[in-house]
Amino acid sequence: MAKIPAGVGPRFPQVVVLVGATGDLARRKLLPGLFYLSTAGFIPGCRIIGMSLDDLDVDGFRQQARSALDEFSTRKFSEEEWTAFAAALDYVPLSAGPERLRAAVEQAEARLSSTFPGESRRLHYLSVPPKAALPVVRLLGEAGLIERSRIVMEKPFGIDLASSVSLNSKLHEVFSEDQIFRIDHFLGKEPAQNILAFRFANGLFEPIWNRNFIDHVQIDVPETLGLGKRAGFYEATGAFRDMVVTHLFQILAFMAMEPPTSLEPIPISEEKNKVFRSMLPIAPTDVVRGQYTGYRAEEGVNPESETETFIALKCSIDNWRWAGVPFYLRTGKRLAEGQRIISIAFREPPKSMFPAGSGVGSQGPDHLTFDLADASKMSLSFYGKRPGPGMRLDKLSLQFAMHDTGFIGDVLEAYERLILDAMRGDRTLFTAAEGIERLWEVSTPLLEAPPPVRFYAPGSWGPNAIHQLVAPRAWRLPFERAWRGANP
């Protein structure tokens, strides 16, 4: 394994209480992620206590963890690495109660202290349905596991303003706000942080990052997947609550925030919250809700369901930097492509001296595009002269891809980065109570009077009404130009 730079991981050994340890997220992301962080040397010492409703013993849990690694780990590993990791696993069924859990944590801490003298820290990861979160929080409180601990919460963080305020109030009865890490895996992706580097490390772009030079912004996250086995959850949630409040609005904040005083958690959180405070309420007339044909026939779905599987909306940030610049957001299930794109459209020149037929303006404005896939890509499009006589222009692009750098092997997956940040107490990429409550507040007009759902065909880009939403502009996806492939 490569040597891990100092300061990247936590200072203290960690005892992880993984609640929902046999669930899909744990199998796909959390157990492989914890395995890599442990074996690669990011964590000075780590023991993991799995908890779930399943009545397993420790050997049964180890078998499930090995199965998860064999199926979902993206990196090769040795039997020696697995043996060391398996020895650090324990399991307590939820039915065993708080005393049994506390005993398992104390035993794990004692074993860590024999190898790593000094104090350890506790990370409670709640990979559970929303209705199970508060009972688990109470269980942790009853077990006396609050001291020296942090807790990671999965979305959704409420379903409206009232439920969000209530949830935060009940959480704060057990954990202080600085112990709570509300996770958004979109912000854990390398490209999301590249937005900060791109904006604030380069004198070329920050001066034009405002309403004087930018015409509009699109944040587009279409998905080809359907519901899978999540029909019950999705019926009560829908695309807006599932994706926009917890993911797309967070990306919007990174795009729109003012320069923080430093790249530290508190200054960045302050600037994100200023963006949320500056957002105007979401008007139902600026929203298109859709539902793919056949959704109502799926198991667990109301035959007369009005739940949206697609949503597109326009939102505005009423501050000095962004006044008058629309932000268009789109996401949905069963769409034509799976993408995660941020596209910034620059204003066109106020006057064109090029002759008629030159091609200038024929392919729309210049765009700066971020691809939020795990392997970062960026593209800057512009007009350039076609070689030969006369003045004929074509749309060209400059492109960057992480594959071109030789660093693609160093990219941490989103959950790996976020688990590591939570262990370190770094809240930069997590959502604060103030921010999430403000987002539900600006969403209230839409939630109270949602427009009717419009049907769209699976494999399309959503209902036709989305084109009226952005007119006279156009949606950036599908692209007219392809990304350049990786260099051989």
Side-chain angles (χ1 to χ4, degrees), residues 41-160:
F42 284 97
I43 311 171
C46 183
R47 299 194 70 87
I48 300 165
I49 302 167
M51 292 195 80
S52 78
L53 293 172
D54 294 337
D55 189 16
L56 294 174
D57 60 14
V58 65
D59 289 331
F61 178 51
R62 287 170 177 162
Q63 290 174 10
Q64 291 210 13
R66 178 58 190 257
S67 172
L69 293 181
D70 288 339
E71 186 173 358
F72 297 112
S73 177
T74 59
R75 304 175 179 93
K76 294 181 180 179
F77 59 90
S78 67
E79 284 302 315
E80 291 78 11
E81 289 171 331
W82 160 250
T83 299
F85 182 73
L89 298 178
D90 197 357
Y91 185 82
V92 176
L94 276 166
S95 59
E99 291 80 9
R100 173 81 178 279
L101 174 60
R102 181 173 180 83
V105 170
E106 289 177 342
Q107 183 182 56
E109 290 174 336
R111 289 179 175 175
L112 281 175
S113 66
S114 65
T115 309
F116 304 94
E119 209 170 53
S120 59
R121 296 287 186 268
R122 302 159 179 166
L123 183 74
H124 308 307
Y125 197 117
L126 273 57
S127 178
V128 297
K131 64 181 180 181
L134 285 176
V136 171
V137 168
R138 287 192 289 270
L139 172 69
L140 294 170
E142 292 166 3
L145 298 176
I146 310 306
E147 186 183 3
R148 294 181 285 110
S149 75
R150 299 181 177 111
I151 182 169
V152 179
M153 307 283 295
E154 284 282 345
K155 69 177 178 73
F157 313 120
I159 58 171
D160 53 23

Side-chain angles (χ1 to χ4, degrees), residues 16-17 30 33 60 94 127 135 180 213 218 220 222 239 250 258 300 317 344 347 376 381 402 454 458:
V16 179
V17 178
L30 304 181
L94 276 166
S127 178
I180 302 169
F213 297 95
Q218 294 183 24
D220 215 347
Q250 304 300 322
E258 295 295 320
I317 301 172
I344 296 103
R347 295 191 183 277
S376 179
S381 69
M402 188 64 70
R454 302 168 184 259

Side-chain angles (χ1 to χ4, degrees), residues 36 205 218 224 291 385:
Y36 176 67
F205 289 100
Q218 294 183 24
T224 57
Q291 187 185 96
K385 182 184 178 299

Side-chain angles (χ1 to χ4, degrees), residues 22 78 97 101 146 213-214 217 253 255 269 313 354 361 427 436 460:
T22 59
S78 67
L101 174 60
I146 310 306
F213 297 95
I214 292 177
V217 177
M255 285 295 307
S269 182
L313 65 145
F354 294 93
R427 303 174 58 82
I436 198 69
S460 70

Side-chain angles (χ1 to χ4, degrees), residues 246-270:
T246 49
H247 292 324
L248 274 64
F249 281 162
Q250 304 300 322
I251 293 293
L252 182 152
F254 264 32
M255 285 295 307
M257 63 188 276
E258 295 295 320
T261 55
S262 67
L263 287 181
E264 297 294 328
I266 292 176
I268 289 178
S269 182
E270 287 175 349

Side-chain angles (χ1 to χ4, degrees), residues 124 137 140 146 149 151 171-177 179-180:
H124 308 307
V137 168
L140 294 170
I146 310 306
S149 75
I151 182 169
L171 285 174
H172 293 155
E173 291 175 2
V174 183
F175 290 92
S176 62
E177 177 62 21
Q179 292 179 288
I180 302 169

Side-chain angles (χ1 to χ4, degrees), residues 290-309:
Q291 187 185 96
Y292 64 78
T293 306
Y295 170 79
R296 295 178 179 180
E298 296 198 17
E299 183 179 355
V301 173
N302 184 340
E304 298 180 354
S305 174
E306 287 292 312
T307 299
E308 78 278 357
T309 61

